[in-house]
Amino acid sequence: MSKIDPILLSVYARTFKSITDEMSISLEKTARSPILCEAKDFVTGLYDAQGNMLEQTENLPILAFSLAPVCRYILDYFDGDINPGDVIFHNDVFSMGNQNNDVAVFRPIFFEDKLVAWSAVKGHQADIGGNVPGGYNPNAKEVWQEALRIPPVKVYDRGHFRKDVWDLIFANIRLEIVQHDMKAQMGACTVGDRRVVELLTKYGFDSFEAHKLALFDATKKMMEAEIASIPNGTYEGEGQIYYDGHNEGSEFTIRVKITVADKRIKFDYSATDAQTDGFVNGTFTSSASATILTFLQMVNPDMPHNEGMVKPIEMIIPEGTVLNASYPKATTFGNHLCPPNADAIIRALAPVIPDRITAGWNNLLCALTTGMDEEKGDKYVDIGFMGLKGGSGAMKGTDGYDHIGMIDASGGLLDQDYEMFEQQTPHRLVKHEYSEDSAGAGQWRGGLGVETKYIIGSHDTQFVTFGDGDFEPAFGLFGGKDGTLNSITLTYPDGTKQLPNNKDLITGVPKGTLYHQLAGGGGGYGDPQKRDRDLLKQEIRNGIISAKAARRDYGLQEEEQ
Amino acid sequence: MSGKIGIDVGGTFTDFYYVGEEGNPHIHKTLSTPQDPSIAVVEGLREIAASLNPPMELEEFASSIDKIVHGTTVTTNATLTRTGAKSGLITTSGLRDALEMRRGIREEQYNNHYTNVVPLVPRYLRIGVGGRLDRNGDEIEPLDVDGVRDAIEHFRHQDVEAVSICLMNSFANPDHEKQVAELVRRHMPEAYLTVSSELLPTIRFYPRVSTTALNSYIGPILSRYIDRLQDRLEDIGFGGVLLIMQSNGGVMAPSVARDSAALTLLSGPAAGPGAGLVHARVHGQNKCIVVDMGGTSFEAALVDNSPVMVNEGEIDRHRLALPMLGIHTIGAGGGSIGRIDEGGLLRMGPESAGASPGPVSYGKGGEKPTCTDANLVLGYLNPDFFAGGKMSLDREAARRAVDEHIAKPLGMSIEEAAAGMYRVVCNNMAQGVREITIKRGFDPREFPMVVAGGAGPIHSCLIAAELEIPLQIVPRSSSILCAVGMLMSDLKHDFVRTFVSPMENIDWDRLTAVVEAMIDEGRSLLTSELISADNQQFFIKFDCRYLKQYHEVSFTVSREDFQNQDVAAITNAFHREHNRLYGYSLDDGKAVVEIINVRVQALGISDKPANRETVCTGQSADAALKGERSVYVPEDDAFDIVPVYDGHKMVHGNLVEGPAMIEEDTTAIFVSRDYACICDKLDSFTIYKKSREDLVASTLAAATTVEQGK
């Protein structure tokens, strides 16, 4: 084994990060579907020959743990039959995929005829077959009603393009754009491959291996130190899921038991409710990612994202629970179980580390719209990023972040530019502003929610709603108040109103309908009476807290105003 | 009357580059006066006048100057320190929060303590008014004139000093904005006004409103500053032309700067790349990488025929959507602090000791080891000859700090630790150079690297080795390269219009009218800046993308192709640029290409001082040899005794083999073992990889000829 040079170690760490960033930029600039280029719903990463995470750039935190388990699965699956020039696709949720729409490209990296690493990119595809365009099918009960399953498959074998395999995959996907986006993902993997080979050429394989292990070790120590600062013990918390898409009034509970023992932490979800018979189910990988991203927000944000970070963390997510559905259940909603999962973890740890947790975050409620833009003679698909971003929970010393969106994206998912929205859909935006009094009151208030209104510009418009947060608001902590609820209301041209369920499919919505969405605020932290009075007066002046709410929630006296 | 001066105001020093009638350049530095930077400007002029031979009176000197080019950071500083004007925004009803929301981004996703940036206009001064245009610019609802009047009344009541106007879809039709502007001008004649469709008539609401608000935020500040500066210059008898540096690498008249103040944001380093090119051309290269390492930051830019531009940038997390030089900045400078992180890794920066307290070795209270301290331990800095001997450095204090904070925790010797700090900071800078080369589709090995900034030439050999760059150039004026660049800059004005159209189906009459209108605007602006018609040039650019892509690619369209309406040639130019940037293009004839924006750049060729070439005296640098000392040589990973040369005594043709040190008052140059250094005909220190003599063949040949003649 090569000797560890502490300086070279820093150089490796910096270089790995620069490689995954470069892969990320490559994909962002070349992909076509808005969910990749605008929402950046993808992750780029490097993994070692054993599938250990070397470095990642996850644009959305929910993807933090979505590639490494697949890499290991692929290694097992091909059992040594991995060769230079191979390119492997994968999305299958029953072999470590996190969500059907998230399709990964893996490219083995060889140096001196030896498998030394992998570059991989996973991105959310605009379509993945199944019953409903775009993949969100609230009526699905089995995976085949949701998506095409892609277990590990080589689309390039030793550099040879397998046209038959390619055509089989894309014969089952509606949109041609997906082919382009998958090519862009392959391009980003090539970028990673080239840079890793450059690095090995410079320092050699032995140095690479030795320093890689030293890096894992350094990060592991960082994580262990963070865990050791949490008092030993067992802590329990719950988060609630409302409605499975089929049974009106149905509810499911996520139950986590967190055990901290010196330098290790265990998240045990054994007491969580059983899986649903709809699409509201997690996969192991999506739930593990949710756990990790929530915990990462409670530790030093400079932590490198490599294998060492996850080593001291143990997760028990039994198959058959709502967080890890068994074959062949539907699971498309799985990523969106992150918010209630985070609620459970925060509630469990709030009494133990009150300085490091936030109050509850606004949960996602979203509407995917499809229809015909008559003026342009073209179909449009809109994922509705505009309306879905509520506020984050406050924490000690810091107000919640306004208009940030759900915790699984943590401000990584941006709303559309208003003018691009009107170019790409026939709709007209009427309102998109902070929603007054939406923030949970507190010494530190929650982040503000947002009110969005637009007029539907297409006949026979189809809506798919998915999400939560319309039954239970983001919770306050230590005397802080709850935020506001999510809602979507459609007002038809004849004046009738419709309130869709939070997982619904609505067709035939006429042109001229007013779409109205409220994304709720985050939970407050601490006694609102203690909020800084000057700040409060500024907020009244700025119209984000009303004078009435200031009196009611914060006890601001008339004469103070 | 033909003297010319470039004046670059920095945080600590104001740099002057004066070229007099005889053409011999003068370099001068004076302490900046941040409370009113124009004080240092006049002070510096006075000092230069006094230092001339024979000395001149300030007034006599000022009246002998026909051109002053001035780079100012007052707008950048006002934005960073949040001391801009109290401004109001009139926007479309229901959309007044776009400026503050910034599309809902939180840059640090795992950091719940990270807060949003305070908006440039507080919410109570952001007023939505009724009236609406659709996506094609057609009116759906007339402007609510009463609403505008109420907003103006509110602003007057609140003592608002500047007003921004940005309405939905105004890129397609400026009528509503014009109506609002007229009312504001009538009722608030004193207010500084920015109209989005005048400043930036392009699609995308957030970048437009942000840029508009930035312009109003700093407009009054810049106007007042220019007034003061002009008054002071007039007082001392200056009667020539004053030009102001812009972030696009060009210069402009003060009147233009007053209206479009945002053009000066981030203009600090913008003159460097153009100056770098002058030095690269000596070696037959029309391209270069320009790096500048100062006390707190490292800046890298690329020149490929002309400095590479980007169409937008960011200042303090606010979007600034104006064409500017693509300068990449990282937190790596002489003051960068070294530390061991929680995982045991050595990190350099981005925290900086700045000028105060500064590095430990300055003895001004700094306790944490910096890059400068490591350089001192490694022998690159001469403790008795820092800043030309004006300041001495405490080497023992530097050693103690490196020992305590780096060497002991890592279990290394002090020298090993200092070498580690040096290598890590060089690696960081090499990654910074990657950002502007590899990530934008350029191969750094094909570019000479021009090195500026006081701390740059100590690190450049290792950066070059990392990126396999074979040629580095350290100009004599490297410590004030931006001031030099200002005198080399042309007048430059960028225009842009959104013009959405499939490439195959262009309405050429309309497009030609749009482009001609921009050219006319440029022509009248340049004419107002006293640029004659034959010194005016116009360049056309398109921003295109493949249908349904989200990001556009900007590329140059030749006047000829444009006039011939040669769609095939223009489309090919797009494919080529896309391929260069992203490694592929869809030129199979099936992919639809669409235009989003068209741009015109108006260039006014300015009167520049000539570069004086020096006489070659042959290869021997013996006359400049002043001693030897022990320095760290990275190729050996060990210390070695190397010769030290007095840079001021080295002249055209003189050659030094690495490893060696070359010292000047403001700069120290380290020539590493794998490199050699020869002075070229502009007296620049040209450092080339041994075995790559071909890169400096003409300079070597000139030196050899002189040797043989002796």
Side-chain angles (χ1 to χ4, degrees):
Chain A
M1 263 305 177
S2 162
K3 184 170 160 278
I4 302 302
D5 173 349
I7 307 308
L8 192 53
L9 200 55
S10 300
V11 172
Y12 272 110
R14 179 73 182 78
T15 307
F16 288 149
K17 187 69 200 154
S18 115
I19 296 174
T20 60
D21 283 349
E22 193 173 326
M23 292 167 68
S24 180
I25 289 172
S26 164
L27 183 59
E28 185 196 339
K29 299 291 184 190
T30 54
R32 293 197 183 186
S33 96
I35 194 155
L36 291 177
C37 348
E38 287 265 278
K40 295 211 249 173
D41 190 348
F42 65 88
V43 53
T44 58
L46 295 175
Y47 306 85
D48 73 3
Q50 293 77 45
N52 294 306
M53 191 192 306
L54 285 170
E55 184 57 84
Q56 279 184 174
T57 297
E58 65 261 7
N59 294 290
L60 297 186
I62 190 63
L63 297 169
F65 193 59
S66 70
L67 279 170
V70 188
C71 194
R72 293 208 183 89
Y73 183 83
I74 287 173
L75 278 160
D76 280 351
Y77 183 86
F78 286 103
D79 191 23
D81 184 23
I82 301 284
N83 304 294
D86 288 353
V87 175
I88 297 162
F89 282 10
H90 176 273
N91 83 331
D92 178 37
V93 294
F94 298 106
S95 56
M96 291 295 162
N98 58 308
Q99 190 188 33
N100 297 310
N101 278 67
D102 289 348
V103 185
V105 176
F106 280 85
R107 184 183 170 104
I109 303 173
F110 283 78
F111 180 70
E112 291 170 349
D113 303 326
K114 198 159 43 188
L115 177 67
V116 291
W118 295 81
S119 63
V121 177
K122 176 179 275 195
H124 189 113
Q125 304 306 315
D127 186 64
I128 189 65
N131 283 10
V132 175
Y136 281 87
N137 178 8
N139 298 321
K141 298 199 166 186
E142 293 178 325
V143 64
W144 303 285
Q145 291 140 20
E146 304 188 294
L148 170 72
R149 290 179 69 196
I150 311 174
V153 62
K154 292 185 183 179
V155 295
Y156 279 82
D157 189 0
R158 297 171 197 262
H160 175 70
F161 177 57
R162 296 181 62 186
K163 185 169 187 298
D164 48 352
V165 173
W166 183 273
D167 288 348
L168 175 65
I169 293 172
F170 291 101
N172 287 285
I173 291 174
R174 290 177 184 82
L175 304 175
E176 201 186 319
I177 202 175
V178 177
Q179 294 196 42
H180 292 297
D181 286 345
M182 290 305 293
K183 282 180 191 164
Q185 284 187 210
M186 291 194 291
C189 285
T190 309
V191 168
D193 182 339
R194 208 159 47 208
R195 294 271 322 263
V196 169
V197 170
E198 267 176 31
L199 195 67
L200 278 151
T201 309
K202 202 170 205 167
Y203 298 115
F205 177 71
D206 289 347
S207 159
F208 173 84
E209 283 293 297
H211 287 86
K212 168 195 93 184
L213 294 174
L215 267 183
F216 291 166
D217 199 45
T219 306
K220 178 166 158 255
K221 280 186 186 137
M222 252 173 121
M223 186 51 112
E224 285 175 344
E226 294 282 345
I227 296 170
S229 70
I230 306 172
N232 279 350
T234 299
Y235 314 105
E236 297 182 27
E238 292 186 358
Q240 208 65 3
I241 303 162
Y242 299 85
Y243 188 48
D244 60 5
H246 297 284
N247 304 298
E248 203 74 43
S250 52
E251 281 190 37
F252 307 85
T253 305
I254 296 170
R255 295 184 188 85
V256 68
K257 189 160 90 180
I258 302 172
T259 306
V260 177
D262 302 329
K263 296 173 179 176
R264 295 189 59 78
I265 190 165
K266 181 166 83 179
F267 296 85
D268 182 349
Y269 292 95
S270 297
T272 293
D273 281 355
Q275 62 199 12
T276 76
D277 62 358
F279 79 145
V280 180
N281 286 309
T283 62
F284 173 82
T285 318
S286 69
S287 297
S289 274
T291 304
I292 287 172
L293 82 89
T294 306
F295 188 59
L296 278 177
Q297 296 198 344
M298 302 175 183
V299 302
N300 182 348
D302 287 340
M303 182 92 55
H305 290 189
N306 66 37
E307 200 64 25
M309 158 187 101
V310 288
K311 280 259 159 66
I313 302 175
E314 186 186 347
M315 288 175 283
I316 298 171
I317 311 173
E319 193 179 316
T321 62
V322 68
L323 290 180
N324 184 9
S326 54
Y327 175 82
K329 286 290 179 188
T331 60
T332 304
F333 198 75
N335 276 353
H336 308 299
L337 298 182
C338 178
N341 191 346
D343 286 352
I345 295 170
I346 292 171
R347 283 179 172 130
L349 292 176
V352 200
I353 45 170
D355 296 355
R356 283 157 67 178
I357 48 89
T358 65
W361 289 50
N362 172 250
N363 202 330
L364 166 85
L365 180 61
C366 182
L368 195 146
T369 319
T370 47
M372 187 75 187
D373 187 333
E374 277 172 32
E375 188 194 343
K376 298 199 170 175
D378 199 6
K379 277 188 184 159
Y380 71 88
V381 179
D382 180 62
I383 316 174
F385 299 133
M386 185 76 76
L388 63 80
K389 286 159 67 76
S392 77
M395 71 187 298
K396 191 173 182 182
T398 310
D399 287 343
Y401 206 98
D402 305 331
H403 181 48
I404 186 174
M406 68 275 195
I407 192 169
D408 23 328
S410 287
L413 184 127
L414 308 188
D415 71 16
Q416 291 127 303
D417 186 84
Y418 307 162
E419 287 170 349
M420 292 308 274
F421 172 76
E422 291 198 352
Q423 291 290 326
Q424 282 151 356
T425 73
H427 312 323
R428 178 159 60 85
L429 188 62
V430 176
K431 185 165 195 186
H432 187 246
E433 286 187 353
Y434 293 132
S435 159
E436 189 179 47
D437 294 334
S438 57
Q443 183 174 3
W444 295 283
R445 66 161 173 84
L448 289 162
V450 164
E451 180 178 14
T452 305
K453 287 182 186 173
Y454 56 84
I455 294 167
I456 305 295
S458 50
H459 299 290
D460 195 19
T461 311
Q462 176 178 308
F463 276 86
V464 175
T465 62
F466 55 94
D468 253 309
D470 51 344
F471 288 92
E472 184 190 329
F475 59 88
L477 276 179
F478 306 113
K481 306 253 163 118
D482 294 349
T484 49
L485 287 173
N486 290 336
S487 69
I488 293 176
T489 311
L490 297 172
T491 306
Y492 293 97
D494 64 6
T496 57
K497 284 185 195 297
Q498 179 171 14
L499 275 79
N501 271 320
N502 64 22
K503 293 148 196 104
D504 216 341
L505 177 67
I506 298 171
T507 54
V509 176
K511 186 172 173 171
T513 299
L514 178 70
Y515 175 93
H516 183 197
Q517 178 169 12
L518 284 167
Y525 187 110
D527 182 359
Q529 305 280 342
K530 293 186 183 156
R531 183 161 184 81
D532 183 302
R533 270 14 203 178
D534 289 337
L535 205 54
L536 198 53
K537 280 179 237 169
Q538 265 182 44
E539 288 172 324
I540 295 169
R541 181 184 212 184
N542 278 322
I544 57 173
I545 294 178
S546 66
K548 193 175 147 203
R551 277 196 300 279
R552 184 190 62 214
D553 299 335
Y554 292 91
L556 188 73
Q557 302 299 314
E558 204 89 34
E559 59 273 18
E560 282 187 79
Q561 290 184 29
Chain B
M1 188 173 113
S2 67
K4 294 176 176 32
I5 300 193
I7 305 175
D8 178 25
V9 178
T12 315
F13 289 106
T14 298
D15 297 340
F16 295 80
Y17 184 72
Y18 165 62
V19 183
E21 210 143 346
E22 302 78 29
N24 49 329
H26 245 76
I27 291 172
H28 189 75
K29 275 176 178 282
T30 197
L31 279 174
S32 291
T33 48
Q35 69 286 7
D36 178 0
S38 60
I39 295 172
V41 168
V42 173
E43 200 43 46
L45 294 177
R46 187 190 312 278
E47 289 163 8
I48 296 172
S51 72
L52 295 175
N53 189 16
M56 283 166 97
E57 288 298 318
L58 175 60
E59 285 71 17
E60 185 192 354
F61 177 61
S63 64
S64 77
I65 297 165
D66 65 359
K67 175 167 150 182
I68 293 180
V69 184
H70 183 54
T72 172
T73 51
V74 293
T75 53
T76 304
N77 290 343
T79 309
L80 296 178
T81 57
R82 299 311 311 255
T83 48
K86 184 173 184 180
S87 63
L89 168 69
I90 296 178
T91 186
T92 297
S93 162
L95 306 176
R96 64 171 161 156
D97 289 332
L99 185 68
E100 182 166 352
M101 286 176 168
R102 300 186 306 124
R103 300 179 63 203
I105 190 172
R106 184 171 82 178
E107 288 86 344
E108 297 191 6
Q109 291 169 332
Y110 292 97
N111 183 358
N112 285 330
H113 282 295
Y114 196 72
T115 54
N116 196 5
V117 63
V118 177
L120 298 164
V121 185
R123 196 168 195 253
Y124 76 95
L125 295 177
R126 304 196 297 259
I127 311 293
V129 297
R132 192 65 151 84
L133 305 172
D134 73 8
R135 62 183 176 187
N136 302 313
D138 296 330
E139 186 177 90
I140 304 173
E141 184 190 319
L143 182 72
D144 173 11
V145 174
D146 289 338
V148 177
R149 289 213 174 90
D150 290 347
I152 292 172
E153 198 44 47
H154 177 58
F155 292 163
R156 286 161 56 105
H157 192 68
Q158 294 290 339
D159 295 324
V160 161
E161 197 184 350
V163 177
S164 299
I165 301 168
C166 185
L167 303 179
M168 185 73 179
N169 290 328
S170 70
F171 69 91
N173 177 0
D175 282 356
H176 282 190
E177 288 194 358
K178 280 186 173 150
Q179 289 180 49
V180 180
E182 203 182 299
L183 288 165
V184 174
R185 285 197 185 100
R186 192 182 315 154
H187 300 290
M188 296 179 76
E190 302 293 315
Y192 186 92
L193 178 64
T194 312
V195 184
S196 89
S197 51
E198 289 173 8
L199 183 69
L200 183 72
T202 58
I203 189 165
R204 284 192 175 104
F205 191 79
Y206 168 62
R208 197 168 74 241
V209 73
S210 177
T211 308
T212 304
L214 274 166
N215 196 65
S216 287
Y217 187 70
I218 46 142
I221 311 275
L222 186 68
S223 293
R224 281 195 289 272
Y225 174 65
I226 290 177
D227 285 346
R228 273 199 308 273
L229 179 68
Q230 283 183 316
D231 285 350
R232 284 188 201 279
L233 290 175
E234 201 173 305
D235 283 350
I236 60 171
F238 170 67
V241 176
L242 173 68
L243 294 169
I244 307 292
M245 194 68 211
Q246 314 175 53
S247 60
N248 70 3
V251 295
M252 60 184 160
S255 56
V256 180
R258 278 198 182 86
D259 289 343
S260 307
L263 292 170
T264 62
L265 286 169
L266 303 175
S267 66
L277 184 59
V278 171
H279 294 280
R281 281 189 180 137
V282 170
H283 301 278
Q285 307 252 24
N286 207 24
K287 56 187 180 182
C288 58
I289 294 162
V290 179
V291 298
D292 191 330
M293 183 183 183
T296 55
S297 66
F298 171 81
E299 279 139 2
L302 194 83
V303 184
D304 185 25
N305 293 314
S306 60
V308 171
M309 311 275 294
V310 293
N311 286 333
E312 59 178 32
E314 231 176 48
I315 178 161
D316 197 26
R317 298 158 74 199
H318 301 293
R319 193 74 63 84
L320 179 62
L322 296 172
M324 60 182 78
L325 299 195
I327 297 175
H328 184 75
T329 303
I330 60 171
S336 289
I337 291 172
R339 67 180 175 96
I340 307 297
D341 74 12
E342 290 80 350
L345 292 190
L346 170 62
R347 298 205 188 190
M348 293 297 291
E351 303 81 4
S352 171
S356 176
V360 178
S361 53
Y362 283 15
K364 289 199 278 186
E367 287 174 357
K368 294 175 181 161
T370 64
C371 180
T372 297
D373 295 315
N375 291 340
L376 186 60
V377 172
L378 297 173
Y380 297 141
L381 293 175
N382 182 344
D384 307 319
F385 191 70
F386 192 64
K390 285 179 195 157
M391 187 172 165
S392 66
L393 298 178
D394 185 346
R395 185 166 173 153
E396 278 317 302
R399 289 180 59 88
R400 276 197 302 276
V402 171
D403 189 30
E404 183 188 340
H405 295 276
I406 311 291
K408 284 209 178 107
L410 290 181
M412 306 176 122
S413 72
I414 296 172
E415 288 75 15
E416 281 171 337
M421 292 167 73
Y422 176 74
R423 280 161 57 195
V424 169
V425 91
C426 287
N427 182 260
N428 288 350
M429 290 190 281
Q431 302 292 356
V433 174
R434 282 183 164 277
E435 297 282 336
I436 55 140
T437 52
I438 294 165
K439 286 195 187 173
R440 294 184 192 161
F442 295 98
D443 186 342
R445 291 171 296 191
E446 296 169 1
F447 291 76
M449 183 164 81
V450 178
V451 185
I458 289 176
H459 300 91
S460 61
C461 279
L462 194 52
I463 299 170
E466 188 87 18
L467 298 166
E468 298 178 46
I469 294 170
L471 186 67
Q472 309 154 50
I473 302 165
V474 183
R476 280 301 155 131
S477 50
S478 81
S479 70
I480 60 146
L481 194 69
C482 277
V484 179
M486 285 172 193
L487 286 190
M488 306 292 171
S489 298
D490 291 315
L491 292 103
K492 201 196 260 187
H493 304 294
D494 292 297
F495 303 91
V496 57
R497 298 286 182 273
T498 289
F499 185 92
V500 181
S501 163
M503 186 72 91
E504 288 299 326
N505 193 16
I506 296 173
D507 177 346
W508 278 97
D509 289 344
R510 199 164 71 82
L511 179 57
T512 306
V514 165
V515 169
E516 286 302 327
M518 288 191 279
I519 291 177
D520 284 348
E521 215 178 313
R523 186 175 290 128
S524 68
L525 211 50
L526 289 174
T527 307
S528 78
E529 291 168 321
L530 307 176
I531 298 294
S532 64
D534 45 336
N535 280 326
Q536 299 182 3
Q537 296 173 5
F538 301 92
F539 301 92
I540 302 170
K541 273 186 164 188
F542 284 9
D543 297 352
C544 289
R545 62 186 185 188
Y546 293 116
L547 192 66
K548 296 197 171 163
Q549 270 185 330
Y550 261 64
H551 295 273
E552 294 94 52
V553 166
S554 237
F555 63 100
T556 302
V557 174
S558 75
R559 285 298 281 279
E560 199 184 339
D561 289 345
F562 186 80
Q563 267 150 14
N564 297 337
Q565 307 185 354
D566 190 341
V567 171
I570 296 171
T571 308
N572 274 332
F574 167 71
H575 291 315
R576 272 200 306 278
E577 183 64 5
H578 194 279
N579 188 48
R580 194 189 63 71
L581 281 169
Y582 305 125
Y584 78 93
S585 60
L586 304 174
D587 47 5
D588 55 5
K590 280 189 285 183
V592 176
V593 175
E594 65 176 342
I595 308 175
I596 301 297
N597 297 313
V598 291
R599 298 173 183 275
V600 163
Q601 183 170 82
L603 205 61
I605 305 300
S606 68
D607 183 18
K608 304 178 190 66
N611 287 305
R612 270 219 327 189
E613 295 185 6
T614 52
V615 178
C616 185
T617 63
Q619 279 192 1
S620 172
D622 291 351
L625 187 64
K626 67 174 188 180
E628 58 179 30
R629 70 168 180 264
S630 173
V631 304
Y632 173 74
V633 180
E635 288 92 334
D636 310 343
D637 196 14
F639 280 74
D640 197 0
I641 307 283
V642 309
V644 180
Y645 293 86
D646 179 352
H648 297 294
K649 292 186 181 156
M650 284 181 65
V651 287
H652 184 183
N654 290 178
L655 190 145
V656 165
E657 297 265 350
M661 288 299 308
I662 301 170
E663 289 183 351
E664 287 201 295
D665 282 358
T666 52
T667 314
I669 300 164
F670 172 59
V671 184
S672 202
R673 183 175 301 286
D674 290 346
Y675 297 83
C677 172
I678 187 164
C679 283
D680 67 22
K681 63 186 178 187
L682 293 183
D683 271 355
S684 298
F685 300 101
T686 306
I687 303 167
Y688 58 95
K689 186 126 206 271
K690 291 176 185 169
S691 80
R692 291 304 307 274
E693 280 78 8
D694 56 304
L695 293 168
V696 289
S698 64
T699 312
L700 277 170
T704 312
T705 312
V706 172
E707 295 290 332
Q708 283 160 354
K710 273 183 184 169

